[in-house]
Amino acid sequence: MHELSIAQSLVELAAEAAENSGIKKVKALFLKLGVLSGVVKEALEFSFDVVVQGTSLEGAKLIIEDVPVTIFCPNCQEERILPEPLPMRCPTCGTKTGQVLAGREMELYALEGGEENA
Amino acid sequence: MHDLTLNPRIVEIRQNVLKKNDLLARELRKRFQNVGVYVVNLVSSPGAGKTTLLTEVLTRLGKRYRTAALVGDLATENDADRLRQSGAKVRQITTGTVCHLEAEMIERTLQDWELETFDFLFIENVGNLVCPASYDLGENQRVVLFSVTEGEDKPVKYPTIVNSADTAIITKIDLAEAVDFQRKRFYEALNEVRPGIRIHEVSARTGEGIDEWISQLEADKSAFIHSSGSL
């Protein structure tokens, strides 16, 4: 369970990013979470609520978008989205591939400021 | 998420949550490359045999190379003491409650080491198949270990770490028969998660497969030095 460390990093990064973007009060954080990121969404949400208390981000909402695995199929020469994280196989032609293009990310995608920032 | 931009109060950030760790890992990797030390990060469940295998590898490798190891555990110096029997320079990292090693711990621990005096540095991660996956330590190669006693479907149960690994090592292979290890099923499971991953079978007790893995590490190191030279 390392979601607490991840939540800590997320809050630090978001606070820094908010300051750099001139956002005084953060209303929401938009996070992209790959299904291969190794992070459990519910545990991260829980940890975020704990970590955010007493920081400049207190009261902000965490909105998580799940990102499926995208692979590159060497046979089709196409990018393919996998319906499930496993197996690592082209859903169209069945070719196995180790080329993962997306699905591992843990990215703070955007921040939403509160009314006073408008 | 494209509709987000319609809201004027939304600012695009697009930064990796573990940016600090990633940046530090990149710096470490550069440092390792500059001094020519090849770094291997070992990850596995507790009890897969990381320390036993590593002690054996360090002992054999130490006859021809200058070797060092860092070992992460929540508590105790026991593993460092065991690894030191190989003659390698070893330092323990005790993480307290943290379930994985982070780049910052590696940097801090290596601070007073003269890295150029080593050819190989092994980092034995905290025994855990989940959390270490997310943290780049600046290693050149990530090796995931499974013992034959762990069950053939284990790679599928922990896809994140297997998918991030370059090499898989099956340990305690001398017990394969006793525990009715289904080699084919295990290889299939690995290939579902990480097609093309390199696989070695070893036994630290009988010595089986260890020299083969060492030869591979030597080849990897020379390929790495060759590629550094062309930078």
Side-chain angles (χ1 to χ4, degrees):
Chain A
M1 153 96 188
H2 61 315
E3 281 76 3
L4 203 58
S5 318
I6 304 275
Q8 193 88 50
S9 301
L10 173 63
V11 169
E12 281 169 23
L13 179 70
E16 205 183 285
E19 207 183 303
N20 292 338
S21 326
I23 298 174
K24 288 184 208 82
K25 181 82 192 152
V26 177
K27 203 171 148 195
L29 294 79
F30 294 88
L31 184 74
K32 286 194 174 192
L33 196 60
V35 294
L36 271 184
S37 67
V39 171
V40 181
K41 192 174 162 180
E42 291 72 23
L44 183 61
E45 285 167 341
F46 176 82
S47 304
F48 176 79
D49 289 342
V50 174
V51 169
V52 82
Q53 281 173 41
T55 72
S56 58
L57 270 78
E58 192 166 337
K61 248 191 343 188
L62 176 62
I63 298 162
I64 299 177
E65 182 194 2
D66 295 309
V67 180
V69 177
T70 304
I71 52 122
F72 181 77
C73 174
N75 184 41
C76 306
Q77 289 287 311
E78 289 280 349
E79 291 183 12
R80 304 271 186 217
I81 292 175
L82 301 189
E84 298 287 335
L86 294 177
M88 290 285 162
R89 200 178 280 173
C90 174
T92 309
C93 73
T95 302
K96 285 184 176 179
T97 171
Q99 279 181 270
V100 178
L101 303 177
R104 286 181 177 144
E105 57 271 77
M106 225 189 288
E107 184 192 38
L108 178 62
Y109 187 76
L111 289 175
E112 182 182 356
E115 307 293 327
E116 67 273 28
N117 298 301
Chain B
M1 287 259 170
H2 49 275
D3 57 332
L4 282 185
T5 52
L6 296 176
N7 184 332
R9 287 195 300 271
I10 287 181
V11 181
E12 206 171 84
I13 306 294
R14 304 196 77 154
Q15 287 186 11
N16 191 330
V17 173
L18 294 178
K19 188 178 77 172
K20 267 189 191 152
N21 187 80
D22 292 346
L23 288 176
L24 201 50
R26 206 176 303 163
E27 273 172 37
L28 281 172
R29 187 168 287 115
K30 228 181 280 168
R31 236 176 99 192
F32 296 149
Q33 196 156 11
N34 285 342
V35 298
V37 58
Y38 191 78
V39 183
V40 181
N41 179 6
L42 300 175
V43 293
S44 82
S45 308
K50 287 186 298 302
T51 312
T52 309
L53 175 64
L54 189 51
T55 306
E56 189 58 34
V57 167
L58 288 170
T59 305
R60 295 186 188 205
L61 210 51
K63 290 179 185 140
R64 282 170 294 136
Y65 296 95
R66 302 162 301 169
T67 55
L70 302 179
V71 52
D73 279 296
L74 301 194
T76 82
E77 290 260 343
N78 296 352
D79 279 3
D81 292 340
R82 288 170 62 199
L83 290 171
R84 266 183 210 113
Q85 293 167 7
S86 67
K89 178 166 174 131
V90 180
R91 192 171 278 175
Q92 179 84 42
I93 302 176
T94 43
T95 60
T97 55
V98 182
C99 52
H100 57 268
L101 293 177
E102 298 185 11
E104 183 271 326
M105 300 174 187
I106 304 299
E107 192 207 26
R108 187 157 27 99
T109 310
L110 291 178
Q111 231 160 37
D112 58 340
W113 278 24
E114 285 168 25
L115 280 176
E116 60 276 15
T117 58
F118 299 108
D119 301 304
F120 285 95
L121 170 67
F122 291 85
I123 302 172
E124 182 184 328
N125 220 308
V126 179
N128 180 338
L129 277 178
V130 184
C131 315
S134 306
Y135 295 88
D136 184 359
L137 303 180
E139 72 264 26
N140 300 108
Q141 181 171 163
R142 188 176 286 185
V143 177
V144 61
L145 291 83
F146 294 98
S147 66
V148 293
T149 57
E150 290 178 56
E152 294 82 359
D153 58 347
K154 201 136 184 199
V156 190
K157 290 180 178 163
Y158 297 91
T160 304
I161 199 126
V162 175
N163 193 265
S164 75
D166 306 289
T167 303
I169 292 189
I170 309 172
T171 60
K172 311 184 191 179
I173 201 70
D174 54 305
L175 299 177
E177 211 169 310
V179 297
D180 195 21
F181 178 66
Q182 306 292 313
R183 184 174 271 106
K184 190 166 171 279
R185 275 189 58 209
F186 188 84
Y187 276 64
E188 278 169 8
L190 274 174
N191 272 297
E192 289 286 273
V193 189
R194 182 70 154 160
I197 191 169
R198 285 200 309 223
I199 307 172
H200 289 272
E201 297 183 4
V202 305
S203 164
R205 204 174 60 139
T206 66
E208 184 183 340
I210 291 184
D211 285 334
E212 286 83 347
W213 186 40
I214 287 178
S215 303
Q216 184 62 60
L217 285 172
E218 292 180 88
D220 293 340
K221 180 178 163 58
S222 65
F224 154 74
I225 285 178
H226 191 73
S227 72
S228 320
S230 64
L231 280 181

